[in-house]
Amino acid sequence: LRGLVLGLPTQVISKKVWPSTLVITLSKLRCGGISLADVSINSKKNTKASVLAAVKMTGLSVSCTADYHYKWGWFSGKGSLSVGGDASSLATSLLFETKNVAPLTTTPPSTSRVTSCNAAIDLDNLHLRGGFIASIGNLFKGLIMSKVADTVNPEICTAFQDMGAELLTGAMT
């Protein structure tokens, strides 16, 4: 997972701040540097030819970077940001199957797929560089971190669905 980089779509945050509305646009949003502290796997025989495995990854670390542009009334500016955390988790279920006549107890799986995925990305640090908003960024820190986490959660599951089962199948064979 360490080499995985998620390219995420542009995000817009809008917040009414008297006397106008603050609009922050996050672009070139990239998340990577993914690592984990612990993995637990519980599996059960589904059929003679399949095994269902529940995988829980904890201590998941994620780092993201983006460019930002803000507009608030007559004021506007831009800069860059980095956001991250190391207390995230990912819970997923994987189905391993064999097409062989022999059961999975004696032959490795030939196919695998992710049947469910739930990411809980927890970002707890934010660094803003450039522009007026960098100096008052703490006022909107929670908004920015929440928006990035809400965007990363489904994308990390999509990435895991695309490659996670394949990685585990390869490790088992």
Side-chain angles (χ1 to χ4, degrees), residues 100-166:
N100 299 331
V101 178
L104 277 173
T105 54
T106 58
T107 60
S110 55
T111 61
S112 60
R113 63 186 162 91
V114 175
T115 60
S116 70
C117 182
N118 183 27
I121 302 302
D122 182 20
L123 303 174
D124 58 11
N125 62 64
L126 171 69
H127 301 284
L128 296 161
R129 290 170 292 285
F132 171 69
I133 197 170
S135 61
I136 61 165
N138 281 338
L139 298 174
F140 306 104
K141 188 177 184 176
L143 280 174
I144 294 170
M145 289 190 303
S146 177
K147 185 67 162 182
V148 173
D150 290 349
T151 303
V152 173
N153 277 328
E155 294 296 330
I156 202 163
C157 277
T158 298
F160 193 77
Q161 286 175 333
D162 290 347
M163 65 176 230
E166 200 174 287

Side-chain angles (χ1 to χ4, degrees), residues 87-104:
S88 300
S89 64
L90 180 78
T92 187
S93 294
L94 300 128
L95 183 65
F96 296 96
E97 299 174 298
T98 184
K99 292 181 180 161
N100 299 331
V101 178
L104 277 173

Side-chain angles (χ1 to χ4, degrees), residues 8-9 13 28 30 35-36 49 51-52 59 71 74 89 102 111 127 148 166 173:
L8 304 168
I13 303 165
K28 298 180 186 171
R30 302 272 182 265
S35 62
L36 54 102
V51 171
L52 186 62
K71 182 158 179 57
W74 297 66
S89 64
T111 61
H127 301 284
V148 173
E166 200 174 287
T173 58

